Amino acid sequence: MTVKPRTFRFGVPWEDAYGYSQALQAGDTLYVSGQLSHDAAGEFVGAGDFELQMKTTLANLDLVLAHFGATRGQIVETTVLVRNLRENFDTTARLHAEYVGEHRPTSTVLGVADLALPDQLVEIGALVRLDVRA
């Protein structure tokens, strides 16, 4: 059986410039691209404020999940890319733990030298299984 993938886009300029979707559903698996801190108009949020960027990034992840009728409890893996990881690790860990609550997906945290936007400090991708009971 062939499955036609469903995609989701925010309509932000970098989706066309880079040629990607925010998420792609193939069967019961949802692949979520790295989310970042931006508002509905595609304006970057939180320059110089790691905690605000992390919270806004997670809120954008929630918007992607909601589009597919998914919940945080269906996330099976997160990948968190962080600039200045040593400086921002405790905040990353605290906010990630608050976000997932009692649910414990797998997660990889990587310190990176740079991200796509000049003021961007964090990016979070996810793998979601829609057939997992949340």
Side-chain angles (χ1 to χ4, degrees):
M1 175 171 97
T2 302
V3 176
K4 180 175 178 167
R6 290 179 42 212
T7 61
F8 172 73
R9 296 175 45 166
F10 281 123
V12 292
W14 52 86
E15 291 167 339
D16 285 335
Y18 190 71
Y20 78 107
S21 297
Q22 298 296 330
L24 183 141
Q25 178 187 350
D28 288 329
T29 304
L30 179 61
Y31 302 88
V32 182
S33 294
Q35 298 300 297
L36 59 107
S37 183
H38 65 83
D39 63 18
E43 297 296 321
F44 187 77
V45 174
D49 186 337
F50 183 81
E51 185 157 343
L52 178 58
Q53 284 190 36
M54 183 84 175
K55 288 179 178 179
T56 306
T57 298
L58 291 168
N60 285 335
L61 178 54
D62 278 341
L63 292 173
V64 174
L65 294 176
H67 177 81
F68 292 92
T71 67
R72 295 174 184 182
Q74 293 172 298
I75 297 171
V76 296
E77 178 180 42
T78 61
T79 301
V80 185
L81 308 176
V82 179
R83 282 180 54 194
N84 306 315
L85 181 60
R86 293 286 55 89
E87 176 184 328
N88 294 312
F89 181 78
D90 289 343
T91 302
T92 301
R94 176 176 52 84
L95 293 175
H96 186 275
E98 287 174 11
Y99 181 79
V100 298
E102 294 299 314
H103 178 60
R104 293 291 184 258
T106 64
S107 185
T108 300
V109 180
L110 298 167
V112 297
D114 215 357
L115 290 164
L117 301 180
D119 292 321
Q120 185 181 356
L121 299 173
V122 64
E123 185 167 316
I124 302 172
L127 181 63
V128 180
R129 289 295 306 202
L130 300 172
D131 58 344
V132 168
R133 176 175 274 155

